[in-house]
Structures are given as C-alpha cells and as structure tokens.
Amino acid sequence: MFSKNDKVSVRQVEILLILDLFSVSILSFPRMAVEIANQDAWIAVIGATLLAFIYGYTITSIVKRFPEDTFVEFSSKVLSKSVGIFLSLLFSIKLSITMAMELRIFGELVKQVLLPRTPIEIIMASMLLTCAYLVRKGYECNARLGEILVFIIFIPLIAILLFVLPDTDFSNLKPIFTTPFPRLLKGSYFLSFIYTPIELILLVGPLVNDLKKARRVSFIAITFTGIINVILTIITVSVLGSVGTKQQIWPVMTLMQIIEIPGAFVERQDALMTIFWILIVFSFISTLMYFISFILTRILKAEEHKFLVLPLVPIIYLISLIPDNIVEAFNWIEFLRKYIRILFLLPIPLLLLIVAKIRKLGESIEEK
C-alpha cells in the first residue's frame, strides 16, 4: 500500500506538526486574540492552549487503539463502513477548503509585500505546482524538508523578536483581568482552533514508526506553539497597544516593520518575515495536499497516492479564487472556524473513542 517514502520518525512528525501549527496563526493571531480580550489577550491564548491539550489527548487516544489504520479505516470499523466513508469524504472536503483559503491568504500577502506587479493567480499557481511536485515524492520527503525548514525559520525569527524587546511598553498590558470570565472562556474556545492541524494525527498511524509516542508528540508541539504564541501576543500588544493591534490585518508584519536592528544588517525585516512565513505555508499546504490525496487513496483502496495529486491542483486552485478579496477569504475562514473546525478536533474523535470502548474494538498499544 505504501511506497518506501511514506514512513517517518516520531521526531519528523513532531517537527511537521509544529510547522503546521504556526502556518495558520503566526501573522494574524495577535489581532484575533486582542479582538476578543483586548489587553488580556495573552490570557485567552493560554486558555486556548489548555483546550488544545484536551483535543490532543482525545485524538491520540483513538489513534493508539488502531495503530495500523487511518481515520478512513477505524471510523468504518467503529461506526459502519458507509458512515466512515461519509466522514472521510467530509474530512477531505474540509481539508481542501482549508488549503484553498490558506493558499489565497498566501497569494494576497505575497502580492502586497513582495510581488505587487505579479498577478495573484500566478503566485498561487506556482505555489500549488511546487507543492504537488513535493507531495508526489512521498510523505518522507515532506518530513525531511521540515527538518531543514525548522532551523531556517525559527532561529532567525526568535532572534528578530529579541530586537523588538527595547521597543516594548509592558504598561500596555494593564489593567489585567478586566475581561469578563465568560468572554475569556468563549474567546479561548475560538482561539483554540488555531491548533486545528492536530487533527492530522488522525491520519498518520500507519506512517509513523513508533505510534506509542503520538501523545507526547502532540503535547510537545502544542506546548512549543503555545509558548511562542503567548510571547508573540504579549510583545505585539506591548509595542502596538490593544487598539493599534486591532487596526492591523497582520500585526506581526507591522511589528517587523517598526523595529530597528543594530548595525542594519537587515533592511527589510518585514520581507524577511514574509519569507519565513512562505516557507511555513509551503510545508503546510504540502502536508494538506498529501493527506487529501491520502484519504482518497484509502477510500478508493488504490496502491499509490501519486495519480491523485495533479487532479487536486485545479480543484484547489478554483476554490481559492472564489473569494473576491481578502476580506471575503477571512469570512470563509471564520465560517470554517465557527461551524466545521471543531468537528474533527473533539466531537468526532470523542464519539469514535466512546463507541470503540463500548464495542470493545481496538486496544490501546500501551495496554498490549
């Protein structure tokens, strides 16, 4: 069923998960948090991270009961074949729309910051075709690329953030705990959807060498991402203030534009940040494209995923062009966040876990 390029290590999954978690949130996340809780945004971020641990625990619990199966197989075993296939198709459609909107946001930002004269259609098509080439080479190629990108992205990013510290005014975070607790709780719930890529663990079972460490992998990725998100939110609000943060579409980009690096060895920090983000988005879109083709391969019981990759390119491309502008693209993302993203994070994995235990299907590999 699998080519030799589809088995990856636990560490590689961990790295890919961290990259995927950052792709969704890194540029606009502080604005989303401030719109909910003003200067208490960092508290809402902590709450969102705690909720993500619940998602990670539930998902890894069901995955570890069926180490040789993906979501397509174990959902069919637990809830009947027809329901399993329906849920798998729903999962692939949801991933396709997510991928298309991520591609659209990517195109809008690159056109605005780096390539203002290049048609957005060319920018998005170039990204899609490059990702398709990588995906056809197998999941291991994506994982090896992730091992390289994680150093290229995070070491310079953390270094640049350190240069922001002299411009911070932590009094912008005061007064704290002024947001009503119900609003903080609701805000944490919505912000927790930035951890949506955790749901991809539902599909990695047969691809990982040591699935016993799946829970550790998800917890490490959530912890790392949560710490960076809290620091990024605190720094953004400290520099821009809660009002200033709300006024920016991508406040992290604004943050990069206003800092001054000693010696001026880098003149366009915002362009540098965009390049880091492009690398993360490239990894995320490649991962989504692989798993969409992977789900369809398992449903069709095909030998390889390669022949399904290229037909996906025009479909994703056309979906990404449906929004008329970036505001409408964000509305699509908001719709996904409100009504669909939670499905594969908690309700469906929890339902599968409960039914599997009642029917005594599968056995946690930790109990064997």
Side-chain angles (χ1 to χ4, degrees):
M1 176 64 74
F2 301 109
S3 69
K4 293 180 180 178
N5 287 336
D6 282 332
K7 277 287 184 180
V8 299
S9 68
V10 170
R11 186 173 62 86
Q12 288 173 321
V13 174
E14 194 174 281
I15 289 172
L16 284 176
L17 197 54
I18 289 173
L19 291 173
D20 294 342
L21 289 171
F22 271 100
S23 67
V24 179
S25 63
I26 190 167
L27 295 184
S28 60
F29 180 70
R31 173 178 54 79
M32 294 161 54
V34 169
E35 285 175 346
I36 292 169
N38 293 312
Q39 67 272 19
D40 288 333
W42 60 277
I43 302 173
V45 177
I46 293 175
T49 305
L50 295 177
L51 284 173
F53 283 111
I54 298 175
Y55 305 150
Y57 182 87
T58 308
I59 289 172
T60 52
S61 294
I62 184 63
V63 168
K64 289 166 80 172
R65 294 185 75 87
F66 301 92
E68 301 299 325
D69 297 328
T70 68
F71 178 82
V72 179
E73 286 83 21
F74 65 70
S75 61
S76 297
K77 290 178 181 176
V78 175
L79 297 175
S80 80
K81 186 175 180 180
S82 56
V83 175
I85 290 177
F86 170 76
L87 290 177
S88 301
L89 287 173
L90 183 64
F91 199 4
S92 64
I93 292 171
K94 183 249 180 192
L95 293 180
S96 298
I97 298 175
T98 301
M99 178 180 164
M101 292 305 107
E102 192 77 14
L103 180 69
R104 180 59 183 268
I105 298 297
F106 157 81
E108 295 282 356
L109 183 60
V110 170
K111 182 175 176 59
Q112 177 182 322
V113 178
L114 295 180
L115 304 170
R117 295 182 180 178
T118 305
I120 190 171
E121 292 82 2
I122 300 297
I123 296 171
M124 294 194 298
S126 302
M127 170 63 91
L128 263 183
L129 291 172
T130 308
C131 291
Y133 177 79
L134 177 66
V135 170
R136 282 174 58 84
K137 298 299 179 183
Y139 192 51
E140 188 191 15
C141 290
N142 198 9
R144 290 186 181 279
L145 179 67
E147 287 181 301
I148 299 171
L149 293 182
V150 74
F151 294 105
I152 295 176
I153 294 167
F154 286 107
I155 293 177
L157 175 62
I158 293 172
I160 288 175
L161 286 177
L162 290 176
F163 287 115
V164 184
L165 290 177
D167 297 315
T168 53
D169 180 3
F170 291 109
S171 64
N172 287 330
L173 298 172
K174 297 180 181 178
I176 62 173
F177 294 112
T178 56
T179 307
F181 182 72
R183 183 174 175 80
L184 268 181
L185 200 60
K186 186 178 179 182
S188 296
Y189 170 72
F190 282 110
L191 289 174
S192 69
F193 296 144
I194 65 163
Y195 295 95
T196 300
I198 298 170
E199 68 192 7
L200 297 177
I201 295 177
L202 290 167
L203 298 163
V204 301
L207 305 175
V208 184
N209 288 327
D210 188 2
L211 198 62
K212 290 182 179 178
K213 297 177 181 176
R215 183 164 296 151
R216 194 200 71 177
V217 167
S218 66
F219 282 6
I220 289 176
I222 292 168
T223 302
F224 183 80
T225 310
I227 291 173
I228 295 292
N229 280 337
V230 171
I231 293 174
L232 199 59
T233 304
I234 289 175
I235 289 178
T236 305
V237 176
S238 298
V239 175
L240 302 178
S242 58
V243 176
T245 303
K246 286 180 188 176
Q247 293 172 342
Q248 306 297 323
I249 297 177
W250 293 298
V252 177
M253 292 296 296
T254 306
L255 201 65
M256 293 298 161
Q257 289 169 347
I258 64 176
I259 64 173
E260 294 183 5
I261 297 179
F265 60 89
V266 177
E267 295 183 359
R268 289 284 310 275
Q269 301 94 311
D270 56 330
L272 192 62
M273 184 69 197
T274 306
I275 293 170
F276 296 154
W277 186 71
I278 289 172
L279 295 174
I280 296 176
V281 171
F282 174 66
S283 173
F284 185 51
I285 290 179
S286 300
T287 300
L288 290 181
M289 186 181 283
Y290 176 83
F291 281 118
I292 294 167
S293 63
F294 185 63
I295 291 173
L296 298 176
T297 302
R298 305 293 280 191
I299 292 174
L300 298 172
K301 298 188 183 303
E303 291 293 327
E304 289 286 349
H305 72 285
K306 292 181 181 178
F307 76 96
L308 290 169
V309 174
L310 286 180
L312 283 175
V313 171
I315 296 172
I316 300 298
Y317 180 72
L318 291 175
I319 296 174
S320 69
L321 291 177
I322 292 177
D324 290 330
N325 49 51
I326 191 169
V327 175
E328 199 169 318
F330 274 119
N331 288 339
W332 276 60
I333 294 173
E334 187 70 15
F335 176 82
L336 285 172
R337 183 180 299 123
K338 282 184 177 178
Y339 302 108
I340 299 178
R341 281 187 172 172
I342 187 64
L343 289 179
F344 294 93
L345 280 176
L346 188 62
I348 292 176
L350 185 59
L351 174 66
L352 291 170
L353 182 61
I354 292 172
V355 175
K357 285 191 174 183
I358 293 173
R359 297 182 61 193
K360 298 181 179 178
L361 295 173
E363 182 182 5
S364 177
I365 52 180
E366 291 175 344
E367 297 171 0
K368 293 182 178 177

